[in-house]
Amino acid sequence: LPCQYIDVTDVPVGDYILELEIDPDNRLEESNESNNITRVPVTLTPPCPAPPANDPFSGAQLVPYPTATMTINNECATKQPSEPDHAGDRGGRSVWYRWTAPATGPVTISTDGSALDTVLAVYTGNTLNSLALVDSDDDSGEGFNSLVMFNATVNTAYSIAVDGFGGAVGTVVLNINPAGNDAFASCLALAGAAGSISGRTVT
């Protein structure tokens, strides 16, 4: 039913089972009374001790690979006073990444796989006050995740901000996929006797 909840503020951290039972007194006539209970595992985690290292723009996490997937929790992240509203949303729990384009061409950046409603923005510029928006998005990815596509310029550093819509918190997943090997003529070489290259086919 709507508006039913359990306050677990003072419950110690650990693993629990949340049990929900429908019609516990068997007041409703049913053909089967044995399927009215559901149990869901719940893990209560301790509060985060401090904001993540890439909480401020100056501490943006460097993405060392052309194609990458990064994961972080934004629960204790904050928003700097001079930070813009990403994708037009106030947010309040942003984390920053810095990625340098390995080649000129299309690139897709998304938050697909994140466990919260995200907003995403890509900028150029060396300080918060000098940011130039490249692209931003809310909800073009899978579900309530975000996705941007733009033409990157080789050796240009892009600052990427991910925030929770309305200040939402949870596990943030950032996917970066330059489509450098989209054309046959631009195929990527595998060096040595064996090797692998990861990528995404979204674009």
Side-chain angles (χ1 to χ4, degrees), residues 141-167:
E142 299 171 356
F144 292 106
N145 291 320
S146 310
L147 184 148
V148 296
M149 295 181 289
F150 62 95
N151 284 316
T153 302
V154 64
N155 295 329
T156 298
Y158 294 93
S159 295
I160 305 163
V162 182
D163 205 339
F165 182 86

Side-chain angles (χ1 to χ4, degrees), residues 8-156:
V8 296
T9 302
D10 297 322
V11 177
V13 299
D15 296 326
Y16 295 88
I17 299 294
L18 176 65
E19 180 178 290
L20 174 66
E21 183 174 1
I22 303 298
D23 190 27
D25 298 325
N26 295 326
R27 293 181 180 177
L28 301 176
E29 188 172 329
E30 301 177 75
S31 61
N32 183 357
E33 298 282 355
S34 65
N35 61 355
N36 288 350
I37 296 178
T38 186
R39 297 177 179 91
V40 180
V42 176
T43 299
L44 300 182
T45 58
C48 46
N54 61 336
D55 177 48
F57 175 83
S58 60
Q61 182 175 350
L62 298 180
V63 181
Y65 306 107
T67 301
T69 296
M70 321 286 285
T71 303
I72 198 171
N73 191 298
N74 76 330
E75 183 178 354
C76 281
T78 61
K79 183 173 183 176
Q80 296 171 261
S82 57
E83 186 173 334
D85 292 346
H86 310 299
D89 181 72
R90 176 64 184 153
R93 304 284 186 171
S94 63
V95 288
W96 288 90
Y97 300 87
R98 195 151 294 122
W99 175 77
T100 300
T104 295
V107 60
T108 301
I109 300 177
S110 78
T111 60
D112 290 346
S114 297
L116 68 154
D117 187 352
T118 63
V119 291
L120 171 67
V122 180
Y123 304 89
T124 56
N126 297 323
T127 66
L128 276 178
N129 295 327
S130 66
L131 290 181
L133 180 65
V134 175
D135 201 358
S136 65
D137 178 68
D138 175 32
D139 294 349
S140 291
E142 299 171 356
F144 292 106
N145 291 320
S146 310
L147 184 148
V148 296
M149 295 181 289
F150 62 95
N151 284 316
T153 302
V154 64
N155 295 329
T156 298

